[in-house]
Amino acid sequence: MDTTVSTTAAASPRRGRGGRERILAAASRLFATQGIGATGMEQVAEEAPVSKRTLYAHFRTKNDLVIAHLQGLALSGATLEGVLTREDIPPRDRIRRLFDQPVADEAPVRGCPFIDAAAEFPDPESAVHSYAREQKLRMVELIVAVVTELGCREPLALAEQLATLADGAASRAMVLDEADYGRHARAAAEVLLDQALPGETEMETETEAETGAEAKAEAGTGRAKG
């Protein structure tokens, strides 16, 4: 009985199922430690490990692999904007946590992966740069939704300011390798929020005005019926 095939399969259990997941996991490790540009497809195949044939069957080009990697990060919630969709966290706390490192125990500190990817693919028309831009625009949209929930009258302007603070803080945290650097941007964000959001007194005045208007309308309706 020829046992060559079964013996080979037993000796290489990791080259079977789950090739795509292993490729993405290997790419994620390599991109984080040495950068996208310095990572070759053959190195990813060796790290996975998979054959080059399997690698290219899943990802025809390196651009395809990089975009899949970024899509996985976006879906994982392990990015700056991941906290913005957390409905279990109060709106203002979501904004505050925008300035925390997504992976608290990561060392060295990593910046925003979308900004990093755009920097390594500087052509604005490239597929990777375009995807990174989409995610940065989505980040602003998510912030708009949160600050609107907080009662901001000009949510887009505030969202752009907060996104600028968050991206800048993440970049400086990476350069300085200081995980808690976001505290400086968070303090500035609190000032922006205090200025842009209606205070309790203003909200009470608006509520009283609305109540008064409703009362007058009801009184007018009563007189008309009489």
Side-chain angles (χ1 to χ4, degrees):
M1 180 179 178
D2 186 357
T3 60
T4 302
V5 174
S6 60
T7 302
T8 302
S12 304
R14 292 182 296 172
R15 291 185 181 273
R17 298 177 180 176
R20 188 177 193 277
E21 290 73 18
R22 293 202 310 279
I23 292 167
L24 286 171
S28 180
R29 291 192 298 271
L30 292 170
F31 292 162
T33 56
Q34 62 188 34
I36 297 172
T39 300
M41 293 291 272
E42 290 189 7
Q43 189 178 10
V44 173
E46 293 174 0
E47 178 76 10
V50 296
S51 66
K52 286 189 288 184
R53 179 178 179 180
T54 297
L55 172 61
Y56 285 105
H58 288 290
F59 304 101
R60 295 179 60 187
T61 67
K62 185 176 179 180
N63 277 4
D64 292 340
L65 175 59
V66 174
I67 291 174
H69 160 69
L70 295 176
Q71 289 173 335
L73 286 176
L75 292 173
S76 72
T79 57
L80 291 178
E81 56 269 35
V83 70
L84 296 171
T85 59
R86 292 277 302 277
E87 295 184 358
D88 58 315
I89 300 175
R92 185 147 180 161
D93 285 343
R94 278 179 250 165
I95 297 297
R96 293 186 179 111
R97 289 178 61 172
L98 189 61
F99 304 98
D100 294 338
Q101 284 295 308
V103 184
D105 59 348
E106 188 173 51
V109 175
R110 305 298 178 192
C112 171
F114 305 121
I115 292 178
D116 292 345
E120 294 209 44
F121 290 80
D123 180 2
E125 301 303 319
S126 70
V128 174
H129 194 111
S130 295
Y131 182 80
R133 179 170 58 248
E134 289 174 8
Q135 293 307 305
K136 292 288 91 180
L137 293 174
R138 177 176 175 271
M139 178 180 178
V140 172
E141 292 174 357
L142 292 174
I143 298 175
V144 164
V146 176
V147 297
T148 298
E149 188 177 352
L150 288 169
C152 179
R153 293 189 181 85
E154 297 183 5
L156 182 56
L158 179 59
E160 290 285 4
Q161 292 167 350
L162 293 172
T164 299
L165 283 174
D167 284 337
S171 296
R172 287 186 64 81
M174 181 272 293
V175 172
L176 301 175
D177 194 24
E178 186 177 339
D180 191 36
Y181 187 86
R183 67 188 185 278
H184 303 296
R186 187 183 302 109
E190 293 283 11
V191 175
L192 289 175
L193 288 168
D194 288 341
Q195 291 177 344
L197 302 180
E200 293 184 5
T201 301
E202 184 178 350
M203 293 179 67
E204 289 173 359
T205 301
E206 290 180 354
T207 302
E208 290 173 0
E210 291 173 359
T211 303
E214 291 174 358
K216 288 180 181 179
E218 290 176 1
T221 303
R223 285 196 298 271
K225 289 181 178 180

